[in-house]
Amino acid sequence: METKETQVAVIGAGPGGYAAAFLAADLGKRVILIERDERPGGVCLNRGCIPSKALLHAVETIHETEASARRGVSFGEPRIELDTLRAWKDGIVAKLAQGIGFLAKQRGVEILRGRAAFQDSKSLSVEAETGPVTVRFEQAVVATGSRAVIPPSLALNHPRIMTSRQALEVTDIPGSLLIIGGGYIGMELGFVYSGLGSRVTVVEALGSILSGADPDLIAPVRMMARKRFHEIRTGTTVQSLSVADDQIRVVSQGPTGAPKEELYDRVLVSVGRKPNSESLGLENTGVKLDADGFIEVDAGQRTADPNIYAIGDVVGGAMLAHKAHKEARTAVENLCEENEPNAKAAIPAVVFTDPEIAWCGLTETEARERNIEVQVSKFPWAASGRAITLDRPDGLTKLIVDPETERLLGVGMVGKGAGELIAEAALALEMDATALDLASTVHPHPTLSETLMEAAEAYYGTAAHFLAKKAPK
Ligand code: FAD
């Protein structure tokens, strides 16, 4: 059996793993990055963030051109060439994956293709294409990510029942699509498929779609989804799925009444994700898992085994690519003894629906649940010149402020491009900015970024374009 020696072994080449491997190499370590898939990039690049955003952009142009007619500029009916759309999306993924491979080569990071499992706290066995390989390491970073959960009652193993992975392949445009789960993945894909022409129904077991976001931020998305989707049913669970000729028979139970039986052309199950922590040989190491299978880590991303760090979806928390990236930096800085464990950063969350929802830091709901006294200052986008020129006044920016110190505790937004705007809020929170800092920062006009400044001015009752009462002290 071939044996390779390295200082750092990283398992998984997703946004956590490749960021960790590259930083370790930049800091002078010899690194092997092990990936079982054909291409690097993980879920995010190959079957998550990037393909979903490409498809969302494509359908956004359909709605933009439709809305344009009332502004006096008309285009014809959209004609969707699915093969071309799929090739464009796949081309983006291939190009970015190639870029990761190229950047690895430039840094001298060896990408070893194969499935890795720990033999002990110092070595891994890898089923590589060329045969089994033992990789001996000084330190390892586990970045094996997560995968979609399909509850046993819904697991028919039938091509008409999809997870996000198959849905992003857009093999066809189903006439009717049931989405089980109204979280961000289900809702984003709902906007993709409804934009392409499917009759989309979303069922969500909880009382609201997109739970986790504040209700006032969800409201404009719900309103748009009601226009674009056939139906959204909350408080509803799917009891069974069965195959009925060319369709799927679905039995669901709403909050009242008898169970409902319906037929759909396709069903997308998006009810959650679980960590890829089994079959990794972790039992041969000191690494500990929690009850849900996530790897337990401290603030420096150290596991219970002194040689092994873990980052990204496999450690749980916000299962987002930029969280994985941040944890990669923390782990590598610690294993290179560059830094002491840093305090948890403010991790922004973005839902790429239409309009987008984004938030960072404390939400108003969390403040209420945790009995934290806050002042909430809001600026409606109907008062923003830029939002009106974009024909999208359906937005809101709000600040969650500590009334004692006037420090920003959280920022929430809904509106076109909110996902881009939230980065300013993340910086403000990292810098411990106050509402006054944000209000005194000159923002360019006319831009949507002014809504952050005006929400801060509104806190003091001085927003130029919105008459708001000064927050009581
Ligand atoms: P992953 O990206 O899951 O990568 C793990 C890698 O490890 C995989 O390539 C896997 O093949 C490999 N691996 C696993 N086990 C082994 C083994 N034993 N040996 C070798 N290799 C192994 N996040 C955002 O921030 N923004 C978004 O817009 C967004 N959109 C999403 C849309 C969808 C549809 C989905 C499903 C997810 C989305 N996410 C988004 C979440 C994001 O994709 C994940 O949070 C992110 O990919 C996690 O990165 P990671 O490095 O921890 O793991």
Side-chain angles (χ1 to χ4, degrees), residues 375-380 397-401 406-408 410-413 424 428 433-443 449-464 466 468-471:
Q375 279 296 331
V376 179
S377 179
K378 299 187 184 186
F379 184 80
T397 297
K398 69 178 194 180
L399 310 181
I400 317 294
V401 183
E406 298 189 350
R407 209 163 61 82
L408 294 173
V411 176
M413 309 176 116
E424 179 180 347
T434 61
L436 189 60
D437 292 325
L438 204 48
S440 333
T441 303
V442 179
H443 286 68
S449 70
E450 286 170 297
T451 67
L452 280 158
M453 177 186 71
E454 294 226 42
E457 289 173 344
Y459 180 79
Y460 300 101
T462 60
F466 178 60
K469 271 204 214 119
K470 186 179 185 314

mmCIF file of all heavy atoms in Angstrom, residues 375-380 397-401 406-408 410-413 424 428 433-443 449-464 466 468-471:
data_model
loop_
_atom_site.group_PDB
_atom_site.id
_atom_site.type_symbol
_atom_site.label_atom_id
_atom_site.label_comp_id
_atom_site.label_asym_id
_atom_site.label_seq_id
_atom_site.Cartn_x
_atom_site.Cartn_y
_atom_site.Cartn_z
ATOM 1 N N GLN A 375 -34.158 48.196 21.176
ATOM 2 C CA GLN A 375 -34.974 49.137 20.415
ATOM 3 C C GLN A 375 -34.874 48.719 18.965
ATOM 4 O O GLN A 375 -33.767 48.411 18.481
ATOM 5 C CB GLN A 375 -34.424 50.557 20.544
ATOM 6 C CG GLN A 375 -34.830 51.267 21.812
ATOM 7 C CD GLN A 375 -36.331 51.493 21.884
ATOM 8 O OE1 GLN A 375 -36.989 51.617 20.862
ATOM 9 N NE2 GLN A 375 -36.862 51.533 23.081
ATOM 10 N N VAL A 376 -36.016 48.689 18.268
ATOM 11 C CA VAL A 376 -35.999 48.309 16.860
ATOM 12 C C VAL A 376 -36.311 49.546 16.034
ATOM 13 O O VAL A 376 -37.301 50.234 16.280
ATOM 14 C CB VAL A 376 -37.030 47.195 16.582
ATOM 15 C CG1 VAL A 376 -37.021 46.813 15.105
ATOM 16 C CG2 VAL A 376 -36.731 45.978 17.454
ATOM 17 N N SER A 377 -35.430 49.852 15.094
ATOM 18 C CA SER A 377 -35.630 51.026 14.254
ATOM 19 C C SER A 377 -35.773 50.558 12.808
ATOM 20 O O SER A 377 -34.941 49.803 12.308
ATOM 21 C CB SER A 377 -34.409 51.940 14.401
ATOM 22 O OG SER A 377 -34.576 53.056 13.597
ATOM 23 N N LYS A 378 -36.852 51.019 12.148
ATOM 24 C CA LYS A 378 -37.134 50.478 10.805
ATOM 25 C C LYS A 378 -37.141 51.588 9.756
ATOM 26 O O LYS A 378 -37.552 52.713 10.044
ATOM 27 C CB LYS A 378 -38.510 49.807 10.793
ATOM 28 C CG LYS A 378 -38.622 48.644 11.763
ATOM 29 C CD LYS A 378 -39.948 47.933 11.579
ATOM 30 C CE LYS A 378 -40.095 46.835 12.622
ATOM 31 N NZ LYS A 378 -41.286 46.017 12.432
ATOM 32 N N PHE A 379 -36.736 51.217 8.551
ATOM 33 C CA PHE A 379 -36.878 52.121 7.409
ATOM 34 C C PHE A 379 -37.520 51.340 6.262
ATOM 35 O O PHE A 379 -36.916 50.400 5.723
ATOM 36 C CB PHE A 379 -35.512 52.672 6.972
ATOM 37 C CG PHE A 379 -35.639 53.687 5.869
ATOM 38 C CD1 PHE A 379 -35.988 54.995 6.143
ATOM 39 C CD2 PHE A 379 -35.444 53.313 4.544
ATOM 40 C CE1 PHE A 379 -36.136 55.934 5.114
ATOM 41 C CE2 PHE A 379 -35.581 54.237 3.511
ATOM 42 C CZ PHE A 379 -35.927 55.551 3.805
ATOM 43 N N PRO A 380 -38.765 51.718 5.894
ATOM 44 C CA PRO A 380 -39.434 50.989 4.801
ATOM 45 C C PRO A 380 -38.886 51.419 3.442
ATOM 46 O O PRO A 380 -38.650 52.617 3.212
ATOM 47 C CB PRO A 380 -40.898 51.413 4.956
ATOM 48 C CG PRO A 380 -40.859 52.721 5.665
ATOM 49 C CD PRO A 380 -39.590 52.790 6.462
ATOM 50 N N THR A 397 -35.681 47.694 6.006
ATOM 51 C CA THR A 397 -34.394 47.542 6.695
ATOM 52 C C THR A 397 -34.646 47.849 8.157
ATOM 53 O O THR A 397 -35.306 48.852 8.479
ATOM 54 C CB THR A 397 -33.349 48.523 6.129
ATOM 55 O OG1 THR A 397 -33.132 48.177 4.761
ATOM 56 C CG2 THR A 397 -32.021 48.446 6.870
ATOM 57 N N LYS A 398 -34.151 47.007 9.041
ATOM 58 C CA LYS A 398 -34.366 47.300 10.461
ATOM 59 C C LYS A 398 -33.109 47.018 11.269
ATOM 60 O O LYS A 398 -32.313 46.125 10.949
ATOM 61 C CB LYS A 398 -35.558 46.522 10.999
ATOM 62 C CG LYS A 398 -35.384 45.044 11.104
ATOM 63 C CD LYS A 398 -36.672 44.497 11.700
ATOM 64 C CE LYS A 398 -36.513 43.088 12.165
ATOM 65 N NZ LYS A 398 -37.724 42.543 12.724
ATOM 66 N N LEU A 399 -32.952 47.819 12.306
ATOM 67 C CA LEU A 399 -31.800 47.694 13.187
ATOM 68 C C LEU A 399 -32.298 47.275 14.562
ATOM 69 O O LEU A 399 -33.318 47.770 15.037
ATOM 70 C CB LEU A 399 -31.071 49.037 13.330
ATOM 71 C CG LEU A 399 -30.718 49.778 12.049
ATOM 72 C CD1 LEU A 399 -29.987 51.072 12.395
ATOM 73 C CD2 LEU A 399 -29.860 48.913 11.139
ATOM 74 N N ILE A 400 -31.555 46.380 15.185
ATOM 75 C CA ILE A 400 -31.848 45.968 16.558
ATOM 76 C C ILE A 400 -30.748 46.609 17.408
ATOM 77 O O ILE A 400 -29.559 46.293 17.239
ATOM 78 C CB ILE A 400 -31.776 44.421 16.706
ATOM 79 C CG1 ILE A 400 -32.452 43.694 15.521
ATOM 80 C CG2 ILE A 400 -32.319 43.966 18.051
ATOM 81 C CD1 ILE A 400 -33.925 43.871 15.386
ATOM 82 N N VAL A 401 -31.140 47.534 18.275
ATOM 83 C CA VAL A 401 -30.162 48.391 18.963
ATOM 84 C C VAL A 401 -30.255 48.197 20.477
ATOM 85 O O VAL A 401 -31.361 48.073 21.028
ATOM 86 C CB VAL A 401 -30.425 49.879 18.609
ATOM 87 C CG1 VAL A 401 -29.386 50.797 19.241
ATOM 88 C CG2 VAL A 401 -30.454 50.081 17.103
ATOM 89 N N GLU A 406 -26.477 52.099 22.638
ATOM 90 C CA GLU A 406 -26.780 52.412 21.235
ATOM 91 C C GLU A 406 -25.980 51.546 20.266
ATOM 92 O O GLU A 406 -25.858 51.833 19.085
ATOM 93 C CB GLU A 406 -26.585 53.906 20.931
ATOM 94 C CG GLU A 406 -27.519 54.779 21.749
ATOM 95 C CD GLU A 406 -27.511 56.226 21.342
ATOM 96 O OE1 GLU A 406 -26.653 56.632 20.553
ATOM 97 O OE2 GLU A 406 -28.397 56.954 21.827
ATOM 98 N N ARG A 407 -25.378 50.462 20.790
ATOM 99 C CA ARG A 407 -24.616 49.544 19.948
ATOM 100 C C ARG A 407 -25.593 48.712 19.105
ATOM 101 O O ARG A 407 -26.659 48.334 19.569
ATOM 102 C CB ARG A 407 -23.776 48.618 20.838
ATOM 103 C CG ARG A 407 -22.502 48.140 20.220
ATOM 104 C CD ARG A 407 -21.563 47.601 21.297
ATOM 105 N NE ARG A 407 -22.125 46.470 22.013
ATOM 106 C CZ ARG A 407 -22.100 45.209 21.552
ATOM 107 N NH1 ARG A 407 -21.539 44.922 20.390
ATOM 108 N NH2 ARG A 407 -22.598 44.244 22.257
ATOM 109 N N LEU A 408 -25.192 48.445 17.858
ATOM 110 C CA LEU A 408 -26.014 47.584 17.008
ATOM 111 C C LEU A 408 -25.875 46.147 17.489
ATOM 112 O O LEU A 408 -24.755 45.659 17.654
ATOM 113 C CB LEU A 408 -25.536 47.649 15.554
ATOM 114 C CG LEU A 408 -25.692 48.970 14.827
ATOM 115 C CD1 LEU A 408 -25.013 48.893 13.467
ATOM 116 C CD2 LEU A 408 -27.161 49.317 14.661
ATOM 117 N N GLY A 410 -28.097 43.741 16.009
ATOM 118 C CA GLY A 410 -28.507 42.944 14.854
ATOM 119 C C GLY A 410 -29.061 43.838 13.763
ATOM 120 O O GLY A 410 -29.449 44.982 14.021
ATOM 121 N N VAL A 411 -29.058 43.309 12.542
ATOM 122 C CA VAL A 411 -29.637 44.024 11.401
ATOM 123 C C VAL A 411 -30.422 43.013 10.585
ATOM 124 O O VAL A 411 -29.954 41.888 10.364
ATOM 125 C CB VAL A 411 -28.523 44.654 10.524
ATOM 126 C CG1 VAL A 411 -29.121 45.322 9.280
ATOM 127 C CG2 VAL A 411 -27.709 45.666 11.324
ATOM 128 N N GLY A 412 -31.607 43.399 10.148
ATOM 129 C CA GLY A 412 -32.416 42.524 9.297
ATOM 130 C C GLY A 412 -32.891 43.304 8.087
ATOM 131 O O GLY A 412 -33.147 44.510 8.178
ATOM 132 N N MET A 413 -32.997 42.634 6.956
ATOM 133 C CA MET A 413 -33.448 43.309 5.743
ATOM 134 C C MET A 413 -34.260 42.358 4.897
ATOM 135 O O MET A 413 -33.993 41.156 4.899
ATOM 136 C CB MET A 413 -32.261 43.719 4.865
ATOM 137 C CG MET A 413 -31.206 44.469 5.561
ATOM 138 S SD MET A 413 -29.866 44.735 4.409
ATOM 139 C CE MET A 413 -29.961 46.459 4.352
ATOM 140 N N GLU A 424 -22.489 45.087 4.820
ATOM 141 C CA GLU A 424 -22.177 46.309 5.587
ATOM 142 C C GLU A 424 -22.580 46.123 7.050
ATOM 143 O O GLU A 424 -21.869 46.534 7.975
ATOM 144 C CB GLU A 424 -22.904 47.514 4.995
ATOM 145 C CG GLU A 424 -22.613 48.779 5.785
ATOM 146 C CD GLU A 424 -23.313 50.014 5.251
ATOM 147 O OE1 GLU A 424 -23.833 49.982 4.128
ATOM 148 O OE2 GLU A 424 -23.331 51.018 5.984
ATOM 149 N N ALA A 428 -20.344 46.299 10.413
ATOM 150 C CA ALA A 428 -20.734 47.170 11.529
ATOM 151 C C ALA A 428 -20.776 46.373 12.840
ATOM 152 O O ALA A 428 -20.293 46.841 13.878
ATOM 153 C CB ALA A 428 -22.092 47.807 11.243
ATOM 154 N N ALA A 433 -20.114 48.708 16.009
ATOM 155 C CA ALA A 433 -20.614 50.045 15.649
ATOM 156 C C ALA A 433 -21.891 50.370 16.424
ATOM 157 O O ALA A 433 -22.651 49.485 16.818
ATOM 158 C CB ALA A 433 -20.900 50.100 14.155
ATOM 159 N N THR A 434 -22.109 51.660 16.628
ATOM 160 C CA THR A 434 -23.368 52.126 17.227
ATOM 161 C C THR A 434 -24.285 52.612 16.099
ATOM 162 O O THR A 434 -23.846 52.798 14.956
ATOM 163 C CB THR A 434 -23.113 53.317 18.179
ATOM 164 O OG1 THR A 434 -22.556 54.370 17.387
ATOM 165 C CG2 THR A 434 -22.182 52.941 19.318
ATOM 166 N N ALA A 435 -25.550 52.863 16.481
ATOM 167 C CA ALA A 435 -26.492 53.416 15.491
ATOM 168 C C ALA A 435 -25.958 54.753 14.979
ATOM 169 O O ALA A 435 -26.106 55.081 13.796
ATOM 170 C CB ALA A 435 -27.869 53.580 16.122
ATOM 171 N N LEU A 436 -25.277 55.504 15.868
ATOM 172 C CA LEU A 436 -24.737 56.809 15.458
ATOM 173 C C LEU A 436 -23.638 56.641 14.406
ATOM 174 O O LEU A 436 -23.548 57.432 13.460
ATOM 175 C CB LEU A 436 -24.202 57.558 16.688
ATOM 176 C CG LEU A 436 -23.805 59.007 16.461
ATOM 177 C CD1 LEU A 436 -24.988 59.843 15.971
ATOM 178 C CD2 LEU A 436 -23.236 59.615 17.746
ATOM 179 N N ASP A 437 -22.792 55.605 14.558
ATOM 180 C CA ASP A 437 -21.752 55.347 13.552
ATOM 181 C C ASP A 437 -22.374 55.146 12.176
ATOM 182 O O ASP A 437 -21.904 55.683 11.176
ATOM 183 C CB ASP A 437 -20.941 54.085 13.903
ATOM 184 C CG ASP A 437 -20.078 54.266 15.146
ATOM 185 O OD1 ASP A 437 -19.576 55.386 15.341
ATOM 186 O OD2 ASP A 437 -19.911 53.294 15.900
ATOM 187 N N LEU A 438 -23.455 54.370 12.156
ATOM 188 C CA LEU A 438 -24.101 54.072 10.875
ATOM 189 C C LEU A 438 -24.796 55.323 10.325
ATOM 190 O O LEU A 438 -24.717 55.623 9.128
ATOM 191 C CB LEU A 438 -25.123 52.943 11.100
ATOM 192 C CG LEU A 438 -25.510 52.073 9.916
ATOM 193 C CD1 LEU A 438 -24.304 51.575 9.144
ATOM 194 C CD2 LEU A 438 -26.334 50.876 10.405
ATOM 195 N N ALA A 439 -25.439 56.082 11.225
ATOM 196 C CA ALA A 439 -26.145 57.298 10.800
ATOM 197 C C ALA A 439 -25.156 58.351 10.287
ATOM 198 O O ALA A 439 -25.467 59.125 9.382
ATOM 199 C CB ALA A 439 -26.962 57.865 11.959
ATOM 200 N N SER A 440 -23.932 58.384 10.866
ATOM 201 C CA SER A 440 -22.963 59.427 10.477
ATOM 202 C C SER A 440 -22.128 59.041 9.273
ATOM 203 O O SER A 440 -21.332 59.846 8.795
ATOM 204 C CB SER A 440 -21.984 59.741 11.615
ATOM 205 O OG SER A 440 -22.519 59.488 12.846
ATOM 206 N N THR A 441 -22.251 57.790 8.809
ATOM 207 C CA THR A 441 -21.464 57.356 7.638
ATOM 208 C C THR A 441 -22.184 57.799 6.373
ATOM 209 O O THR A 441 -23.375 57.507 6.204
ATOM 210 C CB THR A 441 -21.309 55.813 7.662
ATOM 211 O OG1 THR A 441 -20.701 55.449 8.892
ATOM 212 C CG2 THR A 441 -20.465 55.321 6.503
ATOM 213 N N VAL A 442 -21.473 58.501 5.511
ATOM 214 C CA VAL A 442 -22.112 59.007 4.289
ATOM 215 C C VAL A 442 -22.326 57.840 3.328
ATOM 216 O O VAL A 442 -21.379 57.110 3.004
ATOM 217 C CB VAL A 442 -21.244 60.095 3.620
ATOM 218 C CG1 VAL A 442 -21.904 60.595 2.332
ATOM 219 C CG2 VAL A 442 -21.016 61.252 4.600
ATOM 220 N N HIS A 443 -23.551 57.643 2.911
ATOM 221 C CA HIS A 443 -23.900 56.575 1.970
ATOM 222 C C HIS A 443 -24.239 57.206 0.624
ATOM 223 O O HIS A 443 -24.905 58.247 0.588
ATOM 224 C CB HIS A 443 -25.101 55.777 2.496
ATOM 225 C CG HIS A 443 -24.749 54.864 3.627
ATOM 226 N ND1 HIS A 443 -24.366 55.319 4.877
ATOM 227 C CD2 HIS A 443 -24.697 53.511 3.692
ATOM 228 C CE1 HIS A 443 -24.103 54.282 5.649
ATOM 229 N NE2 HIS A 443 -24.293 53.175 4.965
ATOM 230 N N SER A 449 -28.259 51.085 -0.134
ATOM 231 C CA SER A 449 -27.463 51.116 1.102
ATOM 232 C C SER A 449 -27.904 52.267 2.007
ATOM 233 O O SER A 449 -27.727 52.221 3.223
ATOM 234 C CB SER A 449 -25.972 51.230 0.777
ATOM 235 O OG SER A 449 -25.672 52.510 0.260
ATOM 236 N N GLU A 450 -28.503 53.288 1.399
ATOM 237 C CA GLU A 450 -29.001 54.414 2.216
ATOM 238 C C GLU A 450 -30.053 53.968 3.227
ATOM 239 O O GLU A 450 -30.274 54.633 4.235
ATOM 240 C CB GLU A 450 -29.631 55.483 1.313
ATOM 241 C CG GLU A 450 -28.632 56.308 0.540
ATOM 242 C CD GLU A 450 -29.349 57.165 -0.495
ATOM 243 O OE1 GLU A 450 -29.988 56.603 -1.406
ATOM 244 O OE2 GLU A 450 -29.293 58.394 -0.378
ATOM 245 N N THR A 451 -30.710 52.828 2.934
ATOM 246 C CA THR A 451 -31.760 52.373 3.866
ATOM 247 C C THR A 451 -31.148 52.005 5.218
ATOM 248 O O THR A 451 -31.811 52.123 6.241
ATOM 249 C CB THR A 451 -32.569 51.185 3.304
ATOM 250 O OG1 THR A 451 -31.731 50.033 3.202
ATOM 251 C CG2 THR A 451 -33.175 51.508 1.941
ATOM 252 N N LEU A 452 -29.879 51.583 5.210
ATOM 253 C CA LEU A 452 -29.197 51.284 6.485
ATOM 254 C C LEU A 452 -28.954 52.580 7.251
ATOM 255 O O LEU A 452 -29.197 52.680 8.450
ATOM 256 C CB LEU A 452 -27.863 50.580 6.215
ATOM 257 C CG LEU A 452 -27.969 49.082 5.920
ATOM 258 C CD1 LEU A 452 -26.746 48.594 5.168
ATOM 259 C CD2 LEU A 452 -28.145 48.296 7.216
ATOM 260 N N MET A 453 -28.455 53.591 6.533
ATOM 261 C CA MET A 453 -28.189 54.886 7.167
ATOM 262 C C MET A 453 -29.493 55.509 7.679
ATOM 263 O O MET A 453 -29.564 56.004 8.807
ATOM 264 C CB MET A 453 -27.525 55.816 6.146
ATOM 265 C CG MET A 453 -27.254 57.217 6.633
ATOM 266 S SD MET A 453 -26.630 58.269 5.306
ATOM 267 C CE MET A 453 -28.084 58.479 4.295
ATOM 268 N N GLU A 454 -30.540 55.411 6.836
ATOM 269 C CA GLU A 454 -31.795 56.053 7.242
ATOM 270 C C GLU A 454 -32.467 55.295 8.390
ATOM 271 O O GLU A 454 -33.128 55.906 9.236
ATOM 272 C CB GLU A 454 -32.733 56.220 6.038
ATOM 273 C CG GLU A 454 -32.144 57.208 5.021
ATOM 274 C CD GLU A 454 -33.140 58.226 4.504
ATOM 275 O OE1 GLU A 454 -33.934 58.772 5.291
ATOM 276 O OE2 GLU A 454 -33.117 58.475 3.289
ATOM 277 N N ALA A 455 -32.283 53.967 8.437
ATOM 278 C CA ALA A 455 -32.820 53.215 9.583
ATOM 279 C C ALA A 455 -32.106 53.670 10.857
ATOM 280 O O ALA A 455 -32.717 53.772 11.928
ATOM 281 C CB ALA A 455 -32.661 51.720 9.376
ATOM 282 N N ALA A 456 -30.790 53.973 10.741
ATOM 283 C CA ALA A 456 -30.033 54.457 11.903
ATOM 284 C C ALA A 456 -30.479 55.877 12.263
ATOM 285 O O ALA A 456 -30.652 56.219 13.443
ATOM 286 C CB ALA A 456 -28.536 54.414 11.613
ATOM 287 N N GLU A 457 -30.696 56.708 11.236
ATOM 288 C CA GLU A 457 -31.196 58.069 11.508
ATOM 289 C C GLU A 457 -32.584 57.999 12.149
ATOM 290 O O GLU A 457 -32.902 58.777 13.055
ATOM 291 C CB GLU A 457 -31.257 58.878 10.207
ATOM 292 C CG GLU A 457 -29.880 59.252 9.669
ATOM 293 C CD GLU A 457 -29.948 59.909 8.290
ATOM 294 O OE1 GLU A 457 -30.998 59.801 7.614
ATOM 295 O OE2 GLU A 457 -28.940 60.503 7.886
ATOM 296 N N ALA A 458 -33.384 57.034 11.673
ATOM 297 C CA ALA A 458 -34.744 56.890 12.223
ATOM 298 C C ALA A 458 -34.687 56.571 13.713
ATOM 299 O O ALA A 458 -35.595 56.929 14.468
ATOM 300 C CB ALA A 458 -35.504 55.799 11.459
ATOM 301 N N TYR A 459 -33.616 55.908 14.136
ATOM 302 C CA TYR A 459 -33.454 55.599 15.567
ATOM 303 C C TYR A 459 -33.442 56.888 16.388
ATOM 304 O O TYR A 459 -33.933 56.945 17.508
ATOM 305 C CB TYR A 459 -32.151 54.811 15.767
ATOM 306 C CG TYR A 459 -31.881 54.452 17.209
ATOM 307 C CD1 TYR A 459 -32.530 53.380 17.811
ATOM 308 C CD2 TYR A 459 -30.985 55.201 17.980
ATOM 309 C CE1 TYR A 459 -32.299 53.053 19.137
ATOM 310 C CE2 TYR A 459 -30.749 54.884 19.305
ATOM 311 C CZ TYR A 459 -31.408 53.809 19.882
ATOM 312 O OH TYR A 459 -31.181 53.493 21.191
ATOM 313 N N TYR A 460 -32.840 57.932 15.789
ATOM 314 C CA TYR A 460 -32.769 59.230 16.484
ATOM 315 C C TYR A 460 -33.928 60.155 16.084
ATOM 316 O O TYR A 460 -33.937 61.337 16.448
ATOM 317 C CB TYR A 460 -31.428 59.915 16.183
ATOM 318 C CG TYR A 460 -30.254 59.063 16.647
ATOM 319 C CD1 TYR A 460 -29.516 58.304 15.750
ATOM 320 C CD2 TYR A 460 -29.924 58.997 18.002
ATOM 321 C CE1 TYR A 460 -28.468 57.498 16.180
ATOM 322 C CE2 TYR A 460 -28.882 58.190 18.436
ATOM 323 C CZ TYR A 460 -28.165 57.444 17.530
ATOM 324 O OH TYR A 460 -27.136 56.635 17.972
ATOM 325 N N GLY A 461 -34.850 59.618 15.286
ATOM 326 C CA GLY A 461 -36.004 60.418 14.848
ATOM 327 C C GLY A 461 -35.632 61.476 13.828
ATOM 328 O O GLY A 461 -36.318 62.488 13.705
ATOM 329 N N THR A 462 -34.529 61.254 13.064
ATOM 330 C CA THR A 462 -34.063 62.297 12.134
ATOM 331 C C THR A 462 -33.890 61.796 10.701
ATOM 332 O O THR A 462 -33.104 62.365 9.942
ATOM 333 C CB THR A 462 -32.709 62.872 12.603
ATOM 334 O OG1 THR A 462 -31.757 61.794 12.630
ATOM 335 C CG2 THR A 462 -32.795 63.511 13.975
ATOM 336 N N ALA A 463 -34.566 60.720 10.319
ATOM 337 C CA ALA A 463 -34.419 60.231 8.937
ATOM 338 C C ALA A 463 -35.066 61.232 7.992
ATOM 339 O O ALA A 463 -36.208 61.630 8.205
ATOM 340 C CB ALA A 463 -35.081 58.864 8.797
ATOM 341 N N ALA A 464 -34.316 61.639 6.941
ATOM 342 C CA ALA A 464 -34.825 62.674 6.046
ATOM 343 C C ALA A 464 -36.093 62.219 5.327
ATOM 344 O O ALA A 464 -37.015 63.002 5.146
ATOM 345 C CB ALA A 464 -33.741 63.035 5.025
ATOM 346 N N PHE A 466 -38.252 59.683 6.064
ATOM 347 C CA PHE A 466 -39.231 58.881 6.791
ATOM 348 C C PHE A 466 -39.404 59.485 8.173
ATOM 349 O O PHE A 466 -38.423 59.632 8.913
ATOM 350 C CB PHE A 466 -38.706 57.438 6.902
ATOM 351 C CG PHE A 466 -39.603 56.509 7.680
ATOM 352 C CD1 PHE A 466 -40.912 56.272 7.280
ATOM 353 C CD2 PHE A 466 -39.123 55.855 8.810
ATOM 354 C CE1 PHE A 466 -41.725 55.402 7.998
ATOM 355 C CE2 PHE A 466 -39.923 54.978 9.524
ATOM 356 C CZ PHE A 466 -41.232 54.760 9.106
ATOM 357 N N ALA A 468 -39.974 59.235 11.631
ATOM 358 C CA ALA A 468 -40.028 58.209 12.682
ATOM 359 C C ALA A 468 -39.856 58.892 14.016
ATOM 360 O O ALA A 468 -39.101 59.862 14.136
ATOM 361 C CB ALA A 468 -38.897 57.206 12.473
ATOM 362 N N LYS A 469 -40.557 58.344 15.016
ATOM 363 C CA LYS A 469 -40.399 58.899 16.365
ATOM 364 C C LYS A 469 -39.037 58.512 16.893
ATOM 365 O O LYS A 469 -38.553 57.411 16.643
ATOM 366 C CB LYS A 469 -41.472 58.297 17.281
ATOM 367 C CG LYS A 469 -42.746 59.078 17.278
ATOM 368 C CD LYS A 469 -43.487 58.787 18.581
ATOM 369 C CE LYS A 469 -44.978 58.804 18.352
ATOM 370 N NZ LYS A 469 -45.648 57.575 18.639
ATOM 371 N N LYS A 470 -38.390 59.407 17.646
ATOM 372 C CA LYS A 470 -37.113 59.071 18.279
ATOM 373 C C LYS A 470 -37.343 57.906 19.232
ATOM 374 O O LYS A 470 -38.345 57.865 19.939
ATOM 375 C CB LYS A 470 -36.612 60.300 19.048
ATOM 376 C CG LYS A 470 -35.243 60.159 19.638
ATOM 377 C CD LYS A 470 -34.873 61.467 20.340
ATOM 378 C CE LYS A 470 -33.468 61.499 20.862
ATOM 379 N NZ LYS A 470 -32.994 60.362 21.579
ATOM 380 N N ALA A 471 -36.383 56.942 19.216
ATOM 381 C CA ALA A 471 -36.515 55.805 20.127
ATOM 382 C C ALA A 471 -36.468 56.300 21.560
ATOM 383 O O ALA A 471 -35.591 57.097 21.902
ATOM 384 C CB ALA A 471 -35.384 54.823 19.873
#
